[in-house]
């Protein structure tokens, strides 16, 4: 197999090839030969332009990725050894190794300072890669506007000598990735072709009735992508609008009636009268209970003016709340997430005209609103369509019916009645 079979002179390459099976090395070699042929290099190397075009990441971010993969030689030549070494770290390495690679990738200017402008450049490149091919005049936010929302989740705590702005430390970066899993997922899969279902690129199809004005909807595609970063691939196909307060009215009973038909997870979104947008992902259906329920798949999120996701910390199991028609003050009627009774991470009262959001240990989240008291302006709820799960249930039911039919026919055969009509 050429380079992969000959004794490697580079000790880093010798170590890297041990991360791959012989079959994987063969595939990598064939892949390299294909790109090298496009580079017109007589099979010796892959050029930066061919590399960036294939992986679909152009501009400063694409150049920086190529620079890291070629070990900063600045010779515009990606060798087979470079490819194997990069993939062994970026795809086969430990979590720390992968995140260190991504952290260096974000330092676009390679000056050891990860500043706001570096993050902004990378975010805009990501958003263009994910959304520009899909935009059809549907009112999606500009990449710059969305990048600003994501940047507000970042912390820059490192002082830089001679600079007016602080830099992002590695721990700042890891915290930011935790708040923006969609960004982390995308940056962690850049050496997967953009047209091969790259993780972090999938955007759910948002379905709603013809009577809904798209301009009324809170859930923009960019927000759905952000929320989807914390979900599985199967949950990112279709989301269906189940309830919208401008159409269905601010009614708790109407809400429960609208969402009770769905058996899958839901995404609840609130816009308050101070123009903040936030909500929660409920992994379990909204069923009436007198206590907390749910599982650790649920989470809270912010969408505007700052985008963040807050997953369960494990501090307690106070995940979902859905109470109706209780007369006790200890069981407030309404829906909510996290925290404790009357001090929820997010809560909407059964009147749907007031609610609250407090700092919450369940999800490690701050108050999602500017003030703890919430005055809702718009409430909407989306059902996540899980086609694979639905098909499995249908197949299971079908199998059950067929098995029952076989059993019934077997009983009839035993008593000689199965063919009595023939």
């Amino acid at each position: 197999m050429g380079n992969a079979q000959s004794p490697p002179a580079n000790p880093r390459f010798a170590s890297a090839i041990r991360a791959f099976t012989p079959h994987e090395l063969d595939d990598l070699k064939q892949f390299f030969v294909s790109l090298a042929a496009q580079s017109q290099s007589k099979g010796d190397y892959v050029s930066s332009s061919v590399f960036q075009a294939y992986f679909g990441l152009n501009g400063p971010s694409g150049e920086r990725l190529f620079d890291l993969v070629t070990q900063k030689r600045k010779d515009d030549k990606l060798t087979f050894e470079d490819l194997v070494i990069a993939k062994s770290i970026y795809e086969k390495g430990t979590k720390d190794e992968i995140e260190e690679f991504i952290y260096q990738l974000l330092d676009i200017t390679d000056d050891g300072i990860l500043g706001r402008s570096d993050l902004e450049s990378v975010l805009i490149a990501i958003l263009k890669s994910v959304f520009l091919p899909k935009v059809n005049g549907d009112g999606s936010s500009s990449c710059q506007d969305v990048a600003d929302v994501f940047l507000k989740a970042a912390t820059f705590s490192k002082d830089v000598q001679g600079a007016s702005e602080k830099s992002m430390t590695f721990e700042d970066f890891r915290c930011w990735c935790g708040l923006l899993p969609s960004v982390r997922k995308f940056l962690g899969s850049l050496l997967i072709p953009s047209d091969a279902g790259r993780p972090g690129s999938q955007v759910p199809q948002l379905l709603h009735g013809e009577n809904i004005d798209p301009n009324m909807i809170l859930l923009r595609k960019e927000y759905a992508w952000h929320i989807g970063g914390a979900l599985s691939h199967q949950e990112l196909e279709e989301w269906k609008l189940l309830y919208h307060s401008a159409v269905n009215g601010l009614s708790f009973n109407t809400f429960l009636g609208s969402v009770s038909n769905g058996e899958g997870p839901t995404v609840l979104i609130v816009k308050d009268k101070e123009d903040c947008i936030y909500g929660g992902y409920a992994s379990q259906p909204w069923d009436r209970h007198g206590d907390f329920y749910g599982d650790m798949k649920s989470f809270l999120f912010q969408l505007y003016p700052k985008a963040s996701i807050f997953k369960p910390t494990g501090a307690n199991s106070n995940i979902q709340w859905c109470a109706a028609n209780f007369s006790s003050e200890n069981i407030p009627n309404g829906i909510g997430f996290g925290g404790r009774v009357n001090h929820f991470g997010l809560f909407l009262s059964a009147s749907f005209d007031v609610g609250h959001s407090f700092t919450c240990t369940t999800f490690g989240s701050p108050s999602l609103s500017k003030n703890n008291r919430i005055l809702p302006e718009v409430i909407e709820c989306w059902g996540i369509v899980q086609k694979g799960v639905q098909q499995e249930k249908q197949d299971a039911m079908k199998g059950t019916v067929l098995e029952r039919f076989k059993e019934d026919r077997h009983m009839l055969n035993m008593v000689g009645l199965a063919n009595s009509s023939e």
Side-chain angles (χ1 to χ4, degrees):
M1 193 185 67
N3 289 349
Q5 291 181 340
S6 57
N10 185 338
R12 292 190 67 193
F13 180 60
S15 175
I17 60 175
R18 289 197 290 268
F20 300 92
T21 66
H23 178 70
E24 287 174 329
L25 283 173
D26 281 333
D27 288 344
L28 273 179
K29 185 62 178 180
Q30 291 176 24
F31 167 66
F32 173 81
V33 169
S34 173
L35 291 188
Q38 297 174 48
S39 303
Q40 298 179 339
S41 65
K42 298 181 180 179
D44 292 335
Y45 62 85
V46 177
S47 68
S48 176
S49 59
V50 169
F51 175 87
Q52 291 185 56
Y54 181 81
F55 289 107
L57 192 68
N58 301 311
S61 297
E63 292 169 5
R64 177 61 173 162
L65 179 61
F66 185 80
D67 192 37
L68 288 178
V69 171
T70 56
Q71 304 174 65
K72 302 182 183 181
R73 285 195 309 274
K74 311 293 185 184
D75 59 2
D76 195 37
K77 295 178 181 180
L78 170 67
T79 67
F80 179 67
E81 289 190 2
D82 291 332
L83 181 65
V84 172
I85 292 169
K87 278 186 167 282
S88 72
I89 297 171
Y90 188 56
E91 295 178 358
K92 303 280 190 175
T94 65
K95 182 175 182 290
D96 286 346
E97 288 173 333
I98 295 170
E99 292 190 342
E100 178 62 36
F101 187 96
I102 298 172
Y103 180 67
Q104 291 186 49
L105 174 65
L106 294 177
D107 183 11
I108 296 295
T109 55
D110 194 24
D111 58 1
I113 301 172
L114 184 50
R116 188 174 297 272
S117 60
D118 291 314
L119 258 63
E120 182 179 50
S121 174
V122 172
L123 281 170
I124 290 174
I126 292 173
L127 293 166
K128 285 182 177 180
S129 175
V130 174
F131 291 103
L132 286 191
K134 305 178 179 71
V135 171
N136 294 307
D138 59 354
S140 295
S141 304
S142 72
C143 292
Q144 182 65 59
D145 290 342
V146 180
D148 289 342
V149 172
F150 289 146
L151 273 171
K152 288 177 181 176
T155 299
F156 300 88
S157 64
K158 182 180 179 181
D159 290 314
V160 180
Q161 187 174 5
S164 58
E165 293 187 348
K166 293 187 176 183
S167 173
M168 175 179 270
T169 67
F170 184 60
E171 286 307 312
D172 291 338
F173 160 73
R174 296 186 80 162
C175 180
W176 187 62
C177 284
L179 296 173
L180 301 175
S182 55
V183 173
R184 170 62 179 83
K185 196 179 285 188
F186 185 95
L187 290 173
S189 57
L190 290 177
L191 292 183
I192 296 174
S194 58
D195 60 353
R198 175 187 288 163
S201 294
Q202 191 174 0
V203 182
Q205 183 180 1
L206 304 180
L207 308 176
H208 57 79
E210 294 181 357
N211 61 325
I212 303 289
D213 180 356
N215 294 318
M216 295 167 43
I217 293 175
L218 298 176
L219 187 62
R220 311 175 94 99
K221 288 184 176 181
E222 297 90 344
Y223 295 162
W225 173 73
H226 165 55
I227 297 168
L231 302 178
S232 66
H233 179 78
Q234 292 77 13
E235 294 176 289
L236 299 179
E237 294 186 24
E238 292 180 355
W239 294 4
K240 183 178 181 181
L241 184 63
L242 303 178
Y243 169 86
H244 194 291
S245 58
V247 176
N248 305 108
L250 280 167
S251 166
F252 184 46
N253 288 331
T254 302
F255 169 85
L256 289 179
S258 299
V259 304
S260 62
N261 292 329
E263 296 181 1
T266 52
V267 176
L268 177 72
I269 304 176
V270 179
K271 179 183 179 184
D272 63 28
K273 292 188 177 179
E274 295 190 79
D275 288 333
C276 294
I277 305 175
Y278 42 83
Y281 165 82
S283 62
Q284 300 297 315
W286 291 106
D287 295 328
R288 294 173 175 85
H289 290 74
D291 201 351
F292 283 101
Y293 70 105
D295 58 40
M296 296 297 175
K297 296 178 182 177
S298 298
F299 55 84
L300 290 175
F301 56 78
Q302 293 173 307
L303 301 178
Y304 185 85
K306 178 170 71 173
S308 297
I309 282 177
F310 306 98
K311 296 182 180 180
T313 62
N316 57 57
S317 57
N318 298 347
I319 305 297
Q320 279 181 245
W321 180 274
C322 182
N325 302 321
F326 286 94
S327 57
S328 170
E329 292 183 359
N330 295 324
I331 308 177
N333 293 311
I335 56 173
F337 293 86
R340 62 182 189 275
V341 171
N342 296 321
H343 200 282
F344 292 87
L346 174 61
F347 180 77
L348 296 174
S349 72
S351 63
F352 260 28
D353 62 354
V354 68
H356 66 248
S357 177
F358 289 97
T359 300
C360 171
T361 56
T362 309
F363 298 101
S365 56
S367 172
L368 302 180
S369 54
K370 289 182 180 178
N371 300 305
N372 295 126
R373 189 165 185 258
I374 295 173
L375 297 175
E377 185 175 278
V378 180
I379 302 171
E380 63 186 42
C381 187
W382 295 77
I384 293 179
V385 181
Q386 296 177 289
K387 292 182 177 180
V389 174
Q390 289 180 342
Q391 188 62 48
E392 286 177 10
K393 288 182 177 179
Q394 291 173 1
D395 291 344
M397 289 182 64
K398 182 179 178 181
T400 302
V401 171
L402 287 174
E403 289 301 320
R404 189 180 304 130
F405 175 77
K406 290 178 182 177
E407 290 175 6
D408 292 345
R409 188 157 184 87
H410 179 63
M411 288 297 294
L412 290 173
N413 281 327
M414 288 178 67
V415 297
L417 297 177
N419 297 315
S420 60
S421 61
E422 296 177 0

